[in-house]
Amino acid sequence: MTSSKSVAVNGTYSPRVMELRKKIHDADYIDFAVQRIAQVLSRKIVEDSEQALNRRRNESK
């Protein structure tokens, strides 16, 4: 997906896009990003499970 903000008038990419393009080729950066995503998703799953359990407990009273 290319945004008009991503490409400068002369056809070169913005500094932010160039920075991200460089990062996606860095294995350590990708490893960290994947671990962080897994951490956030795991926390969300646990929180959602706890909320569902609490709702069930409250409904059974």
Side-chain angles (χ1 to χ4, degrees):
M1 175 170 80
T2 302
S3 167
S4 60
K5 292 181 180 181
S6 298
V7 181
V9 176
N10 65 3
T12 61
Y13 291 101
S14 71
R16 178 70 177 140
V17 170
M18 294 306 294
E19 177 187 348
L20 292 172
R21 287 177 67 144
K22 185 176 177 181
K23 284 181 177 181
I24 64 170
H25 296 290
D26 179 349
D28 290 335
Y29 177 83
I30 297 299
D31 287 345
F32 177 79
V34 170
Q35 286 180 333
R36 182 69 181 129
I37 292 166
Q39 215 173 29
V40 169
L41 289 173
S42 296
R43 185 176 305 124
K44 180 68 174 154
I45 290 168
V46 168
E47 288 172 358
D48 288 352
S49 296
E50 289 173 350
Q51 288 175 358
L53 179 61
N54 288 334
R55 277 194 303 272
R56 279 183 258 148
R57 286 180 180 161
N58 289 335
E59 289 172 359
S60 66
K61 288 182 181 180

Short mmCIF file of all heavy atoms in Angstrom, two decimals:
data_model
loop_
_atom_site.label_atom_id
_atom_site.label_comp_id
_atom_site.label_asym_id
_atom_site.label_seq_id
_atom_site.Cartn_x
_atom_site.Cartn_y
_atom_site.Cartn_z
N MET A 1 0.85 -1.17 0.00
CA MET A 1 0.00 0.00 0.00
C MET A 1 0.89 1.23 0.00
O MET A 1 1.70 1.42 0.89
CB MET A 1 -0.89 -0.03 1.24
CG MET A 1 -1.72 1.21 1.38
SD MET A 1 -2.98 1.07 2.67
CE MET A 1 -2.02 1.37 4.14
N THR A 2 0.76 2.06 -0.98
CA THR A 2 1.55 3.27 -1.08
C THR A 2 0.66 4.47 -0.81
O THR A 2 -0.39 4.61 -1.40
CB THR A 2 2.18 3.41 -2.48
OG1 THR A 2 2.97 2.25 -2.73
CG2 THR A 2 3.04 4.64 -2.56
N SER A 3 1.10 5.29 0.11
CA SER A 3 0.36 6.50 0.45
C SER A 3 1.03 7.68 -0.23
O SER A 3 2.23 7.68 -0.47
CB SER A 3 0.39 6.68 1.97
OG SER A 3 -0.05 7.97 2.32
N SER A 4 0.24 8.69 -0.53
CA SER A 4 0.83 9.87 -1.16
C SER A 4 1.83 10.54 -0.25
O SER A 4 2.74 11.22 -0.70
CB SER A 4 -0.28 10.86 -1.56
OG SER A 4 -1.00 11.26 -0.41
N LYS A 5 1.70 10.33 1.07
CA LYS A 5 2.65 10.89 2.02
C LYS A 5 3.96 10.10 2.04
O LYS A 5 4.96 10.56 2.53
CB LYS A 5 2.06 10.93 3.42
CG LYS A 5 0.92 11.91 3.56
CD LYS A 5 0.40 11.93 4.96
CE LYS A 5 -0.74 12.92 5.10
NZ LYS A 5 -1.25 12.97 6.45
N SER A 6 3.94 8.85 1.54
CA SER A 6 5.12 8.00 1.56
C SER A 6 6.13 8.38 0.49
O SER A 6 7.31 8.14 0.65
CB SER A 6 4.72 6.54 1.35
OG SER A 6 3.90 6.11 2.38
N VAL A 7 5.67 8.90 -0.60
CA VAL A 7 6.55 9.19 -1.73
C VAL A 7 6.65 10.69 -1.92
O VAL A 7 5.65 11.39 -1.99
CB VAL A 7 6.02 8.53 -3.03
CG1 VAL A 7 6.95 8.82 -4.19
CG2 VAL A 7 5.86 7.03 -2.83
N ALA A 8 7.86 11.17 -2.01
CA ALA A 8 8.08 12.60 -2.24
C ALA A 8 7.79 12.93 -3.69
O ALA A 8 7.64 12.05 -4.54
CB ALA A 8 9.52 12.97 -1.89
N VAL A 9 7.74 14.19 -3.99
CA VAL A 9 7.40 14.65 -5.34
C VAL A 9 8.37 14.08 -6.37
O VAL A 9 7.99 13.70 -7.47
CB VAL A 9 7.41 16.20 -5.38
CG1 VAL A 9 7.17 16.70 -6.80
CG2 VAL A 9 6.37 16.75 -4.43
N ASN A 10 9.63 13.98 -6.04
CA ASN A 10 10.62 13.49 -7.00
C ASN A 10 10.68 11.96 -7.09
O ASN A 10 11.56 11.43 -7.74
CB ASN A 10 12.00 14.07 -6.68
CG ASN A 10 12.54 13.59 -5.34
OD1 ASN A 10 11.91 12.78 -4.67
ND2 ASN A 10 13.68 14.09 -4.94
N GLY A 11 9.77 11.26 -6.40
CA GLY A 11 9.71 9.80 -6.50
C GLY A 11 10.53 9.06 -5.48
O GLY A 11 10.56 7.84 -5.49
N THR A 12 11.21 9.75 -4.59
CA THR A 12 11.97 9.07 -3.55
C THR A 12 11.09 8.91 -2.32
O THR A 12 10.12 9.65 -2.13
CB THR A 12 13.25 9.86 -3.17
OG1 THR A 12 12.86 11.13 -2.67
CG2 THR A 12 14.17 10.00 -4.35
N TYR A 13 11.42 7.94 -1.50
CA TYR A 13 10.64 7.68 -0.30
C TYR A 13 11.02 8.64 0.82
O TYR A 13 12.15 9.10 0.90
CB TYR A 13 10.85 6.24 0.17
CG TYR A 13 10.23 5.23 -0.78
CD1 TYR A 13 11.00 4.54 -1.70
CD2 TYR A 13 8.87 4.99 -0.75
CE1 TYR A 13 10.43 3.64 -2.57
CE2 TYR A 13 8.28 4.08 -1.61
CZ TYR A 13 9.07 3.41 -2.51
OH TYR A 13 8.49 2.52 -3.36
N SER A 14 10.06 8.88 1.70
CA SER A 14 10.29 9.75 2.85
C SER A 14 11.31 9.10 3.78
O SER A 14 11.51 7.88 3.75
CB SER A 14 8.99 9.99 3.59
OG SER A 14 8.58 8.82 4.27
N PRO A 15 11.95 9.89 4.64
CA PRO A 15 12.91 9.32 5.59
C PRO A 15 12.29 8.25 6.48
O PRO A 15 12.92 7.24 6.80
CB PRO A 15 13.35 10.53 6.41
CG PRO A 15 13.14 11.69 5.50
CD PRO A 15 11.93 11.35 4.69
N ARG A 16 11.02 8.41 6.87
CA ARG A 16 10.35 7.42 7.72
C ARG A 16 10.20 6.09 7.00
O ARG A 16 10.45 5.02 7.56
CB ARG A 16 8.98 7.96 8.16
CG ARG A 16 8.20 7.00 9.01
CD ARG A 16 8.81 6.83 10.37
NE ARG A 16 7.97 5.94 11.17
CZ ARG A 16 8.44 5.01 11.97
NH1 ARG A 16 9.72 4.88 12.15
NH2 ARG A 16 7.62 4.25 12.64
N VAL A 17 9.80 6.14 5.74
CA VAL A 17 9.66 4.92 4.94
C VAL A 17 11.02 4.25 4.77
O VAL A 17 11.14 3.03 4.90
CB VAL A 17 9.01 5.21 3.58
CG1 VAL A 17 9.09 4.00 2.67
CG2 VAL A 17 7.56 5.65 3.77
N MET A 18 12.03 5.03 4.51
CA MET A 18 13.39 4.47 4.35
C MET A 18 13.86 3.81 5.64
O MET A 18 14.47 2.75 5.62
CB MET A 18 14.36 5.55 3.89
CG MET A 18 14.06 6.07 2.49
SD MET A 18 13.93 4.78 1.23
CE MET A 18 15.60 4.17 1.22
N GLU A 19 13.54 4.43 6.78
CA GLU A 19 13.91 3.86 8.08
C GLU A 19 13.22 2.52 8.28
O GLU A 19 13.84 1.53 8.70
CB GLU A 19 13.51 4.83 9.19
CG GLU A 19 13.76 4.33 10.58
CD GLU A 19 13.19 5.25 11.65
OE1 GLU A 19 12.79 6.39 11.32
OE2 GLU A 19 13.13 4.82 12.81
N LEU A 20 11.93 2.45 7.97
CA LEU A 20 11.19 1.20 8.13
C LEU A 20 11.68 0.13 7.16
O LEU A 20 11.77 -1.05 7.53
CB LEU A 20 9.69 1.45 7.94
CG LEU A 20 9.04 2.29 9.04
CD1 LEU A 20 7.61 2.64 8.66
CD2 LEU A 20 9.08 1.57 10.37
N ARG A 21 11.99 0.51 5.95
CA ARG A 21 12.51 -0.46 4.97
C ARG A 21 13.82 -1.06 5.47
O ARG A 21 14.08 -2.26 5.30
CB ARG A 21 12.72 0.21 3.62
CG ARG A 21 11.41 0.51 2.91
CD ARG A 21 11.64 1.24 1.63
NE ARG A 21 12.33 0.37 0.67
CZ ARG A 21 12.12 0.36 -0.62
NH1 ARG A 21 11.24 1.20 -1.14
NH2 ARG A 21 12.77 -0.44 -1.41
N LYS A 22 14.65 -0.23 6.09
CA LYS A 22 15.93 -0.71 6.64
C LYS A 22 15.67 -1.67 7.81
O LYS A 22 16.31 -2.72 7.92
CB LYS A 22 16.75 0.49 7.10
CG LYS A 22 18.14 0.16 7.56
CD LYS A 22 18.89 1.45 7.90
CE LYS A 22 20.26 1.16 8.45
NZ LYS A 22 20.97 2.40 8.80
N LYS A 23 14.72 -1.32 8.68
CA LYS A 23 14.43 -2.14 9.86
C LYS A 23 13.91 -3.52 9.49
O LYS A 23 14.21 -4.49 10.18
CB LYS A 23 13.42 -1.43 10.76
CG LYS A 23 14.01 -0.31 11.55
CD LYS A 23 12.97 0.33 12.45
CE LYS A 23 13.57 1.41 13.31
NZ LYS A 23 12.56 2.01 14.20
N ILE A 24 13.11 -3.64 8.43
CA ILE A 24 12.55 -4.95 8.12
C ILE A 24 13.59 -5.94 7.62
O ILE A 24 13.32 -7.13 7.55
CB ILE A 24 11.37 -4.87 7.13
CG1 ILE A 24 11.81 -4.35 5.78
CG2 ILE A 24 10.24 -4.03 7.69
CD1 ILE A 24 10.75 -4.48 4.70
N HIS A 25 14.77 -5.46 7.34
CA HIS A 25 15.86 -6.35 6.95
C HIS A 25 16.79 -6.67 8.11
O HIS A 25 17.78 -7.39 7.93
CB HIS A 25 16.66 -5.74 5.79
CG HIS A 25 15.84 -5.60 4.54
ND1 HIS A 25 15.43 -6.68 3.79
CD2 HIS A 25 15.33 -4.51 3.95
CE1 HIS A 25 14.71 -6.26 2.79
NE2 HIS A 25 14.62 -4.94 2.84
N ASP A 26 16.47 -6.17 9.30
CA ASP A 26 17.27 -6.40 10.50
C ASP A 26 16.62 -7.53 11.30
O ASP A 26 15.53 -7.37 11.86
CB ASP A 26 17.31 -5.11 11.32
CG ASP A 26 18.10 -5.22 12.61
OD1 ASP A 26 18.46 -6.35 13.01
OD2 ASP A 26 18.36 -4.17 13.23
N ALA A 27 17.28 -8.68 11.35
CA ALA A 27 16.72 -9.86 12.01
C ALA A 27 16.42 -9.61 13.48
O ALA A 27 15.39 -10.07 14.00
CB ALA A 27 17.66 -11.05 11.86
N ASP A 28 17.29 -8.89 14.17
CA ASP A 28 17.07 -8.60 15.59
C ASP A 28 15.81 -7.74 15.78
O ASP A 28 15.03 -7.95 16.70
CB ASP A 28 18.27 -7.89 16.21
CG ASP A 28 19.47 -8.81 16.35
OD1 ASP A 28 19.27 -10.04 16.43
OD2 ASP A 28 20.61 -8.29 16.38
N TYR A 29 15.63 -6.77 14.91
CA TYR A 29 14.44 -5.91 14.98
C TYR A 29 13.17 -6.73 14.76
O TYR A 29 12.19 -6.60 15.50
CB TYR A 29 14.52 -4.79 13.94
CG TYR A 29 13.30 -3.92 13.91
CD1 TYR A 29 13.14 -2.88 14.82
CD2 TYR A 29 12.28 -4.15 12.99
CE1 TYR A 29 12.01 -2.09 14.80
CE2 TYR A 29 11.14 -3.36 12.97
CZ TYR A 29 11.01 -2.33 13.87
OH TYR A 29 9.88 -1.55 13.86
N ILE A 30 13.19 -7.60 13.77
CA ILE A 30 12.03 -8.43 13.47
C ILE A 30 11.75 -9.39 14.63
O ILE A 30 10.59 -9.55 15.05
CB ILE A 30 12.22 -9.21 12.16
CG1 ILE A 30 12.35 -8.24 10.97
CG2 ILE A 30 11.10 -10.22 11.93
CD1 ILE A 30 11.13 -7.36 10.75
N ASP A 31 12.80 -10.00 15.20
CA ASP A 31 12.62 -10.90 16.34
C ASP A 31 11.96 -10.17 17.50
O ASP A 31 11.03 -10.67 18.13
CB ASP A 31 13.96 -11.48 16.80
CG ASP A 31 14.50 -12.53 15.85
OD1 ASP A 31 13.74 -13.02 14.99
OD2 ASP A 31 15.70 -12.84 15.95
N PHE A 32 12.45 -8.96 17.80
CA PHE A 32 11.89 -8.18 18.89
C PHE A 32 10.43 -7.83 18.60
O PHE A 32 9.57 -7.93 19.47
CB PHE A 32 12.70 -6.91 19.14
CG PHE A 32 12.11 -6.04 20.21
CD1 PHE A 32 12.30 -6.34 21.54
CD2 PHE A 32 11.35 -4.93 19.87
CE1 PHE A 32 11.72 -5.56 22.52
CE2 PHE A 32 10.77 -4.14 20.84
CZ PHE A 32 10.97 -4.45 22.18
N ALA A 33 10.16 -7.42 17.38
CA ALA A 33 8.80 -7.03 17.01
C ALA A 33 7.83 -8.21 17.15
O ALA A 33 6.73 -8.05 17.69
CB ALA A 33 8.78 -6.49 15.58
N VAL A 34 8.25 -9.39 16.71
CA VAL A 34 7.39 -10.57 16.82
C VAL A 34 7.17 -10.93 18.28
O VAL A 34 6.04 -11.24 18.70
CB VAL A 34 8.00 -11.76 16.03
CG1 VAL A 34 7.27 -13.06 16.34
CG2 VAL A 34 7.97 -11.46 14.54
N GLN A 35 8.22 -10.87 19.10
CA GLN A 35 8.07 -11.16 20.53
C GLN A 35 7.13 -10.16 21.19
O GLN A 35 6.29 -10.55 22.01
CB GLN A 35 9.43 -11.12 21.23
CG GLN A 35 10.29 -12.30 20.94
CD GLN A 35 11.63 -12.22 21.64
OE1 GLN A 35 12.15 -11.14 21.94
NE2 GLN A 35 12.22 -13.37 21.91
N ARG A 36 7.24 -8.91 20.83
CA ARG A 36 6.38 -7.87 21.41
C ARG A 36 4.92 -8.10 21.01
O ARG A 36 4.01 -7.99 21.84
CB ARG A 36 6.85 -6.49 20.97
CG ARG A 36 6.06 -5.36 21.54
CD ARG A 36 6.29 -5.22 23.04
NE ARG A 36 5.47 -4.13 23.52
CZ ARG A 36 4.65 -4.21 24.55
NH1 ARG A 36 4.56 -5.31 25.26
NH2 ARG A 36 3.92 -3.18 24.90
N ILE A 37 4.69 -8.42 19.76
CA ILE A 37 3.33 -8.71 19.31
C ILE A 37 2.75 -9.90 20.07
O ILE A 37 1.60 -9.87 20.53
CB ILE A 37 3.29 -8.94 17.78
CG1 ILE A 37 3.61 -7.64 17.05
CG2 ILE A 37 1.96 -9.52 17.34
CD1 ILE A 37 3.92 -7.82 15.57
N ALA A 38 3.55 -10.95 20.22
CA ALA A 38 3.09 -12.14 20.95
C ALA A 38 2.78 -11.80 22.39
O ALA A 38 1.78 -12.28 22.96
CB ALA A 38 4.16 -13.23 20.88
N GLN A 39 3.59 -10.96 23.00
CA GLN A 39 3.38 -10.54 24.39
C GLN A 39 2.06 -9.78 24.54
O GLN A 39 1.26 -10.06 25.43
CB GLN A 39 4.54 -9.62 24.78
CG GLN A 39 5.01 -9.71 26.18
CD GLN A 39 6.26 -8.85 26.35
OE1 GLN A 39 6.46 -7.84 25.67
NE2 GLN A 39 7.11 -9.25 27.28
N VAL A 40 1.83 -8.84 23.65
CA VAL A 40 0.61 -8.03 23.70
C VAL A 40 -0.62 -8.91 23.48
O VAL A 40 -1.62 -8.81 24.21
CB VAL A 40 0.67 -6.88 22.67
CG1 VAL A 40 -0.67 -6.19 22.51
CG2 VAL A 40 1.75 -5.87 23.07
N LEU A 41 -0.55 -9.79 22.49
CA LEU A 41 -1.69 -10.68 22.22
C LEU A 41 -1.95 -11.63 23.38
O LEU A 41 -3.10 -11.87 23.75
CB LEU A 41 -1.45 -11.46 20.92
CG LEU A 41 -1.52 -10.65 19.64
CD1 LEU A 41 -1.11 -11.50 18.44
CD2 LEU A 41 -2.90 -10.06 19.44
N SER A 42 -0.90 -12.18 23.95
CA SER A 42 -1.05 -13.09 25.09
C SER A 42 -1.71 -12.38 26.27
O SER A 42 -2.63 -12.92 26.90
CB SER A 42 0.30 -13.65 25.52
OG SER A 42 0.85 -14.43 24.51
N ARG A 43 -1.27 -11.17 26.55
CA ARG A 43 -1.85 -10.40 27.65
C ARG A 43 -3.32 -10.13 27.38
O ARG A 43 -4.17 -10.26 28.27
CB ARG A 43 -1.10 -9.07 27.84
CG ARG A 43 -1.60 -8.29 29.04
CD ARG A 43 -0.81 -7.01 29.30
NE ARG A 43 0.61 -7.29 29.43
CZ ARG A 43 1.55 -6.71 28.67
NH1 ARG A 43 1.23 -5.82 27.76
NH2 ARG A 43 2.82 -7.01 28.85
N LYS A 44 -3.66 -9.79 26.15
CA LYS A 44 -5.05 -9.51 25.79
C LYS A 44 -5.91 -10.76 25.93
O LYS A 44 -7.04 -10.69 26.45
CB LYS A 44 -5.10 -8.98 24.35
CG LYS A 44 -6.46 -8.67 23.86
CD LYS A 44 -7.05 -7.47 24.57
CE LYS A 44 -8.39 -7.10 23.93
NZ LYS A 44 -9.26 -6.42 24.84
N ILE A 45 -5.40 -11.90 25.52
CA ILE A 45 -6.14 -13.16 25.64
C ILE A 45 -6.42 -13.47 27.10
O ILE A 45 -7.54 -13.85 27.47
CB ILE A 45 -5.38 -14.31 24.95
CG1 ILE A 45 -5.42 -14.12 23.44
CG2 ILE A 45 -5.96 -15.67 25.36
CD1 ILE A 45 -4.47 -15.03 22.68
N VAL A 46 -5.41 -13.30 27.95
CA VAL A 46 -5.58 -13.57 29.39
C VAL A 46 -6.59 -12.61 29.99
O VAL A 46 -7.49 -13.03 30.73
CB VAL A 46 -4.22 -13.48 30.12
CG1 VAL A 46 -4.42 -13.48 31.63
CG2 VAL A 46 -3.32 -14.63 29.70
N GLU A 47 -6.48 -11.32 29.66
CA GLU A 47 -7.43 -10.34 30.18
C GLU A 47 -8.85 -10.65 29.74
O GLU A 47 -9.78 -10.59 30.55
CB GLU A 47 -7.04 -8.93 29.73
CG GLU A 47 -5.81 -8.39 30.40
CD GLU A 47 -5.33 -7.07 29.80
OE1 GLU A 47 -5.94 -6.59 28.83
OE2 GLU A 47 -4.33 -6.53 30.31
N ASP A 48 -9.03 -10.98 28.47
CA ASP A 48 -10.36 -11.31 27.96
C ASP A 48 -10.92 -12.56 28.64
O ASP A 48 -12.11 -12.62 28.96
CB ASP A 48 -10.34 -11.50 26.44
CG ASP A 48 -10.15 -10.20 25.69
OD1 ASP A 48 -10.20 -9.12 26.32
OD2 ASP A 48 -9.94 -10.26 24.46
N SER A 49 -10.06 -13.55 28.87
CA SER A 49 -10.50 -14.78 29.54
C SER A 49 -10.93 -14.49 30.97
O SER A 49 -11.94 -15.01 31.43
CB SER A 49 -9.38 -15.81 29.54
OG SER A 49 -9.05 -16.20 28.23
N GLU A 50 -10.17 -13.64 31.65
CA GLU A 50 -10.51 -13.29 33.04
C GLU A 50 -11.83 -12.51 33.08
O GLU A 50 -12.67 -12.75 33.96
CB GLU A 50 -9.39 -12.47 33.67
CG GLU A 50 -8.15 -13.28 33.97
CD GLU A 50 -6.97 -12.44 34.44
OE1 GLU A 50 -7.04 -11.18 34.37
OE2 GLU A 50 -5.97 -13.04 34.88
N GLN A 51 -12.03 -11.61 32.14
CA GLN A 51 -13.27 -10.84 32.10
C GLN A 51 -14.46 -11.76 31.83
O GLN A 51 -15.52 -11.63 32.45
CB GLN A 51 -13.19 -9.74 31.05
CG GLN A 51 -12.28 -8.61 31.44
CD GLN A 51 -12.10 -7.58 30.32
OE1 GLN A 51 -12.66 -7.74 29.23
NE2 GLN A 51 -11.32 -6.55 30.59
N ALA A 52 -14.30 -12.70 30.92
CA ALA A 52 -15.38 -13.64 30.61
C ALA A 52 -15.69 -14.50 31.83
O ALA A 52 -16.87 -14.74 32.15
CB ALA A 52 -15.00 -14.52 29.43
N LEU A 53 -14.68 -14.94 32.55
CA LEU A 53 -14.88 -15.75 33.75
C LEU A 53 -15.61 -14.94 34.81
O LEU A 53 -16.54 -15.44 35.45
CB LEU A 53 -13.53 -16.25 34.28
CG LEU A 53 -13.57 -17.09 35.55
CD1 LEU A 53 -14.38 -18.37 35.32
CD2 LEU A 53 -12.16 -17.44 35.99
N ASN A 54 -15.21 -13.70 34.99
CA ASN A 54 -15.88 -12.84 35.98
C ASN A 54 -17.34 -12.59 35.61
O ASN A 54 -18.21 -12.58 36.49
CB ASN A 54 -15.14 -11.51 36.13
CG ASN A 54 -13.81 -11.66 36.85
OD1 ASN A 54 -13.64 -12.59 37.64
ND2 ASN A 54 -12.91 -10.75 36.60
N ARG A 55 -17.62 -12.41 34.33
CA ARG A 55 -19.02 -12.23 33.89
C ARG A 55 -19.84 -13.47 34.18
O ARG A 55 -20.97 -13.37 34.67
CB ARG A 55 -19.06 -11.92 32.40
CG ARG A 55 -18.82 -10.46 32.07
CD ARG A 55 -19.22 -10.14 30.64
NE ARG A 55 -18.53 -10.96 29.64
CZ ARG A 55 -17.35 -10.66 29.09
NH1 ARG A 55 -16.72 -9.55 29.44
NH2 ARG A 55 -16.81 -11.46 28.20
N ARG A 56 -19.26 -14.63 33.91
CA ARG A 56 -20.00 -15.88 34.17
C ARG A 56 -20.27 -16.04 35.68
O ARG A 56 -21.33 -16.49 36.07
CB ARG A 56 -19.23 -17.08 33.63
CG ARG A 56 -19.44 -17.26 32.16
CD ARG A 56 -18.76 -18.48 31.63
NE ARG A 56 -17.55 -17.98 30.97
CZ ARG A 56 -16.41 -18.60 30.88
NH1 ARG A 56 -16.25 -19.80 31.37
NH2 ARG A 56 -15.39 -18.06 30.24
N ARG A 57 -19.27 -15.68 36.49
CA ARG A 57 -19.47 -15.77 37.95
C ARG A 57 -20.57 -14.83 38.42
O ARG A 57 -21.38 -15.18 39.25
CB ARG A 57 -18.16 -15.44 38.67
CG ARG A 57 -17.14 -16.53 38.59
CD ARG A 57 -15.88 -16.13 39.33
NE ARG A 57 -14.89 -17.20 39.25
CZ ARG A 57 -13.60 -17.02 39.47
NH1 ARG A 57 -13.13 -15.82 39.78
NH2 ARG A 57 -12.77 -18.03 39.40
N ASN A 58 -20.58 -13.62 37.86
CA ASN A 58 -21.59 -12.64 38.26
C ASN A 58 -22.98 -13.04 37.77
O ASN A 58 -23.98 -12.78 38.44
CB ASN A 58 -21.24 -11.25 37.74
CG ASN A 58 -20.06 -10.65 38.48
OD1 ASN A 58 -19.78 -11.01 39.61
ND2 ASN A 58 -19.34 -9.76 37.81
N GLU A 59 -23.08 -13.67 36.61
CA GLU A 59 -24.37 -14.10 36.09
C GLU A 59 -24.95 -15.26 36.87
O GLU A 59 -26.16 -15.40 36.97
CB GLU A 59 -24.22 -14.51 34.61
CG GLU A 59 -23.98 -13.34 33.69
CD GLU A 59 -23.65 -13.78 32.27
OE1 GLU A 59 -23.59 -15.00 32.00
OE2 GLU A 59 -23.46 -12.89 31.42
N SER A 60 -24.09 -16.08 37.46
CA SER A 60 -24.58 -17.25 38.19
C SER A 60 -25.03 -16.92 39.60
O SER A 60 -25.62 -17.75 40.26
CB SER A 60 -23.50 -18.34 38.23
OG SER A 60 -22.39 -17.89 39.00
N LYS A 61 -24.81 -15.71 40.04
CA LYS A 61 -25.22 -15.33 41.42
C LYS A 61 -26.68 -15.02 41.49
O LYS A 61 -27.38 -14.61 40.69
CB LYS A 61 -24.43 -14.10 41.89
CG LYS A 61 -22.98 -14.45 42.18
CD LYS A 61 -22.27 -13.21 42.70
CE LYS A 61 -20.80 -13.56 42.97
NZ LYS A 61 -20.09 -12.45 43.47
#
